[in-house]
Amino acid sequence: MKILIVNDDSITAPGIEKLAKAASCLGEVWVVAPEEQCSALSQKLTLREQLTVRKAQDFPVDVVGAYAVGGTPVDCVKVALTYILKEKPDYVFSGINNGYNAGFDIAYSGTLGAAFEGARSGIPSLAFSTAGDAHLDAVEPYLLPVIRELLEEKLEPGMVWNVNFPALKTRPLMGILRDRPVAPVSMYQETYIESIQPDGTVRLNCHGVPTPDSMVPSGTDVEAVRRGYISIGKVRAF
């Protein structure tokens, strides 16, 4: 089994290390990830600039190859499939993202953007995310069992698995909720805080507050993680 691992938090992010470690128990692992943080870039593709590619000699997991790309998560998938890998991988794993990718927020997600690119290339793809303040060591025991389960499940063309782990640092895991549809709300509601500069220029800082639980429909991915469950669902890539 050949597995391509990507993310949007950069090749040095702790989450990609955990995912690569789990994937190495399943087969041949290649890591191709952004050089820098690329959150919320969705499916952005670099067209008018050159991409830098370097081999990451110090990647902390023993993989077949690890490469840092000076581009977006989607760039990483395209570069891996057309330039680095000699054969198409069997799976694309994206993550583990530092922050939930649930509800409407998946539209902005570079983690999901990379998984969508894998699916569009005909490769079964899985996206993994967790709370921004999560303790990855607490997530790790559940990661490989969830991956093994999903690899046994049928994934229709055009769909990707979307897995969100709850914040396990301060509370026990409640269990796993499967077939969670995407909530028709965002995890957070954004507002902009105005700051007027001496020259009159207006600067806006984005500030998000959690969407009230009363606005989150039951049975959805957002509700699942807020209640302390691992949320598993499918999202359409195309």
Side-chain angles (χ1 to χ4, degrees), residues 182-209:
V182 176
V185 295
S186 293
M187 292 287 296
Y188 297 91
Q189 296 178 331
E190 291 83 16
T191 59
Y192 289 92
I193 300 175
E194 179 185 81
S195 174
I196 301 178
Q197 305 305 299
D199 63 356
T201 301
V202 175
R203 294 183 179 178
L204 300 176
N205 291 313
C206 186
H207 177 68
V209 296

Side-chain angles (χ1 to χ4, degrees), residues 149-195:
E149 174 186 330
L150 295 183
L151 296 190
E152 294 294 324
E153 295 284 337
K154 177 177 175 58
L155 188 61
E156 300 87 347
M159 305 295 289
V160 304
W161 288 112
N162 188 33
V163 181
N164 280 276
F165 293 93
L168 299 177
K169 186 175 182 180
T170 58
R171 62 189 299 185
L173 177 69
M174 299 299 294
I176 301 176
L177 293 177
R178 299 167 177 82
D179 301 319
R180 297 298 96 181
V182 176
V185 295
S186 293
M187 292 287 296
Y188 297 91
Q189 296 178 331
E190 291 83 16
T191 59
Y192 289 92
I193 300 175
E194 179 185 81
S195 174

Side-chain angles (χ1 to χ4, degrees), residues 198-226:
D199 63 356
T201 301
V202 175
R203 294 183 179 178
L204 300 176
N205 291 313
C206 186
H207 177 68
V209 296
T211 298
D213 288 342
S214 60
M215 296 177 59
V216 179
S218 62
T220 61
D221 54 357
V222 174
E223 185 208 36
V225 292
R226 285 193 172 180

Side-chain angles (χ1 to χ4, degrees), residues 52-76:
T52 59
V53 180
R54 70 170 179 85
K55 193 164 186 178
Q57 304 288 351
D58 54 350
F59 192 74
V61 179
D62 185 16
V63 296
V64 177
Y67 295 83
V69 176
T72 70
V74 168
D75 290 331
C76 291

Side-chain angles (χ1 to χ4, degrees), residues 11 16 20-21 24 41 60 79 89 97 112 136 144 160 214 228:
I11 196 165
I16 200 169
K21 181 179 176 181
S24 65
L41 291 188
V79 167
N97 188 65
L112 268 297
L136 286 173
L144 188 55
V160 304
S214 60

